[in-house]
Amino acid sequence: MQSSYFSSLPEMGTDEVFDLIKAFSADKYPYRANLAAGVYCTDDGGSWPLNAVCRAESTLHHQADPTRHDYLPIAGDTQFLKVAQDLVFFFEENPQEMAIRSQERSLRVASVQTVSGTGANHIGAQFLVNHLNTNQVWVSDPTWTNHHIIWESVGKKPRLYPYYNTSNNCFDFHAMMQTLEAQARPRDTVVLHACAHNPTGLDPSKEQWMAIADMCQRKQLFPFFDLAYQGFASGDPSKDAWAIRYFYKQCPFIEMIVAQSFSKSFGLYGHRAGALHLVLADESDEIKGRAVAHLCHLLRCEISMAPKFGSMIVKTILSDQELTAIWLKDLQVMSKRIKSMRHALYHELIRLGTPGSWEHIINQIGMFSYTGLTPQEVNALRQQSHVYMLTSGRMSISGVNTKNLQYIANAIFKARQI
């Protein structure tokens, strides 16, 4: 038999999240629960197309724009990029305040449209490797798994800064600062979660963000913000972008990148709408133009241009005050349900007398909770109760609802008896 050129390919591990989703789908147990996927679900356990998105889709359908299937420019849809910039740096819920902020728009942000947040992270990483000559890349321990894969794909194996204290299930600010102060060097890139840290659900306080910004400025570190949950985390887009805006306002200017995703905050998971924003110290059109040209070069050889329909929905919503108001109400629906499930799960675990402390579940924010469950306990949840979550103990709170809450809490109680 003729051997293949690829017969010596090494084994490649699969993605745990998608493996668990597959296993859950194949499981016929009636009380199974999917706590692995980072997708918002209703209290009935189903998908939820946002009201604002449905309205925007109807508007686009009736407009029947004959150019709706045309190619975008390499850099992306200009109007989409404007509303994407405004959402990160200038958005206010009050229309009058928003108008004032928009008039104060800075010219020092170079933006391109990407394939959601993953694409923004990858294009940003490749750009920095090519042009910043970044020495080291620092990511939190733990962080979103894709951060490691993305940076390794561009030739940089990330170093870890402490983030999560396993003894008390809290954010370890002191250890993070101590490590970066001692070991980070000028031009190092520091990847930061703007809000709703994945996987821990733990964010720095405003005072801690101020200290992190001061350190980045003083040590000449390059912040790389991953913004995946703006508006979804707290229900307030301005609040969730606070850290980025604080960094942005510093003087001397702090140069940085923001990788922006619209998957969670608009429920556009499959449409892959995203943007990358490069914040520059130089306000000249020439430098910004050069930066966009280099980013476009990377986009051209990777995707040519980003998907169109998701960005059309986003710009339709954010360009219309009525649709924006509906979207803000949608954010409240999602964020409030997540918060209510956190409190309900906490109180049920306490009622059952589940061993351990569970306050961290209600102190965390956003889609995920780092439960503190061990790999052995997580395995017991899968094998005994058909409850699926990551081996790390990361739980998607969105998978919890009023119908399965008691079952999940009982499953955790039983797993803790092992």
Side-chain angles (χ1 to χ4, degrees):
M1 179 184 295
Q2 182 178 348
S3 65
S4 167
Y5 287 124
F6 307 106
S7 58
S8 61
L9 279 175
E11 291 287 336
M12 177 64 71
T14 56
D15 188 288
E16 186 184 12
V17 173
F18 288 92
D19 287 345
L20 289 174
I21 293 172
K22 183 178 179 180
F24 171 81
S25 298
D27 192 339
K28 302 306 178 186
Y29 189 70
Y31 303 111
R32 70 194 189 283
N34 181 4
L35 307 181
V39 176
Y40 179 79
C41 298
T42 65
D43 193 55
D44 291 326
S47 300
W48 187 50
L50 274 60
N51 294 318
V53 170
C54 292
R55 287 277 296 272
E57 287 174 327
S58 178
T59 297
L60 291 169
H61 174 73
H62 286 99
Q63 286 175 349
D65 183 352
T67 69
R68 63 189 180 276
H69 300 305
D70 289 357
Y71 285 129
L72 288 174
I74 297 174
D77 182 315
T78 303
Q79 187 181 357
F80 164 73
L81 290 173
K82 179 186 180 302
V83 299
Q85 281 185 2
D86 282 348
L87 184 60
V88 178
F89 299 101
F90 307 106
F91 181 86
E92 297 291 346
E93 293 188 24
N94 184 308
Q96 293 180 332
E97 291 181 11
M98 180 63 187
I100 294 171
R101 293 292 297 274
S102 292
Q103 291 174 0
E104 299 171 350
R105 284 173 51 84
S106 170
L107 300 177
R108 60 189 183 93
V109 181
S111 301
V112 294
Q113 190 172 336
T114 62
V115 179
S116 200
T118 298
N121 272 274
H122 185 257
I123 293 295
Q126 187 66 69
F127 178 82
L128 293 184
V129 167
N130 291 354
H131 303 293
L132 179 66
N133 192 27
T134 190
N135 297 308
Q136 304 174 106
V137 177
W138 295 87
V139 300
S140 62
D141 181 18
T143 193
W144 180 44
T145 304
N146 237 10
H147 284 151
H148 290 278
I149 299 170
I150 287 167
W151 282 98
E152 287 172 8
S153 77
V154 298
K156 292 287 182 180
K157 183 175 178 60
R159 295 192 62 181
L160 302 178
Y161 60 82
Y163 195 87
Y164 180 74
N165 188 323
T166 55
S167 63
N168 59 13
N169 300 306
C170 290
F171 168 45
D172 200 338
F173 173 70
H174 176 74
M176 171 188 175
M177 296 296 285
Q178 189 176 50
T179 297
L180 291 175
E181 288 281 10
Q183 300 180 37
R185 298 175 290 175
R187 292 192 180 228
D188 280 7
T189 297
V190 182
V191 177
L192 302 165
H193 299 235
C195 62
H197 182 276
N198 179 5
T200 68
L202 297 166
D203 293 338
S205 65
K206 287 184 178 180
E207 293 73 22
Q208 290 168 338
W209 275 124
M210 292 177 187
I212 294 168
D214 174 73
M215 177 182 62
C216 288
Q217 192 173 59
R218 176 168 38 80
K219 291 181 64 67
Q220 300 176 50
L221 308 180
F222 192 94
F224 192 125
F225 277 100
D226 192 344
L227 180 62
Y229 300 95
Q230 185 183 2
F232 183 96
S234 69
D236 181 348
S238 300
K239 181 178 180 180
D240 292 344
W242 188 91
I244 293 173
R245 295 179 185 186
Y246 181 82
F247 275 64
Y248 180 78
K249 294 174 184 175
Q250 296 311 294
C251 190
F253 294 141
I254 298 177
E255 294 191 301
M256 61 183 178
I257 277 178
V258 178
Q260 182 183 23
S261 169
F262 296 89
S263 295
K264 307 297 192 297
S265 55
F266 284 79
L268 297 173
Y269 302 97
H271 286 301
R272 316 310 293 145
L276 179 145
H277 307 287
L278 172 63
V279 178
L280 301 161
D282 192 318
E283 298 185 48
S284 69
D285 288 339
E286 179 186 0
I287 299 302
K288 185 171 73 170
R290 279 192 223 163
V292 170
H294 280 276
L295 290 168
C296 285
H297 176 72
L298 295 175
L299 288 167
R300 178 61 169 150
C301 68
E302 186 165 303
I303 60 168
S304 279
M305 72 285 300
K308 189 172 186 178
F309 190 62
S311 62
M312 289 174 65
I313 292 173
V314 172
K315 77 174 183 180
T316 300
I317 292 171
L318 294 180
S319 300
D320 182 282
Q321 286 190 12
E322 181 181 355
L323 288 180
T324 298
I326 295 171
W327 174 64
L328 292 171
K329 291 179 181 178
D330 290 340
L331 291 178
Q332 288 293 320
V333 169
M334 293 190 291
S335 63
K336 285 181 178 178
R337 198 187 88 72
I338 295 292
K339 291 173 188 175
S340 69
M341 287 300 98
R342 286 186 179 278
H343 282 83
L345 179 60
Y346 164 75
H347 287 298
E348 185 63 14
L349 289 170
I350 297 302
R351 188 189 70 80
L352 292 170
T354 312
S357 174
W358 301 100
E359 285 84 2
H360 54 283
I361 291 178
I362 54 176
N363 292 333
Q364 297 161 353
I365 189 172
M367 180 81 74
F368 302 112
S369 171
Y370 223 47
T371 60
L373 293 169
T374 67
Q376 292 77 18
E377 290 167 341
V378 170
N379 185 61
L381 284 173
R382 294 179 201 165
Q383 300 302 320
Q384 298 177 6
S385 303
H386 304 257
V387 173
Y388 295 83
M389 71 172 69
L390 298 193
T391 304
S392 64
R394 190 197 80 171
M395 172 195 294
S396 176
I397 297 293
S398 183
V400 183
N401 55 59
T402 55
K403 299 170 183 61
N404 65 17
L405 170 69
Q406 290 185 336
Y407 180 80
I408 291 170
N410 269 290
I412 294 173
F413 176 80
K414 289 191 293 184
R416 269 283 155 102
Q417 309 306 310
I418 297 175

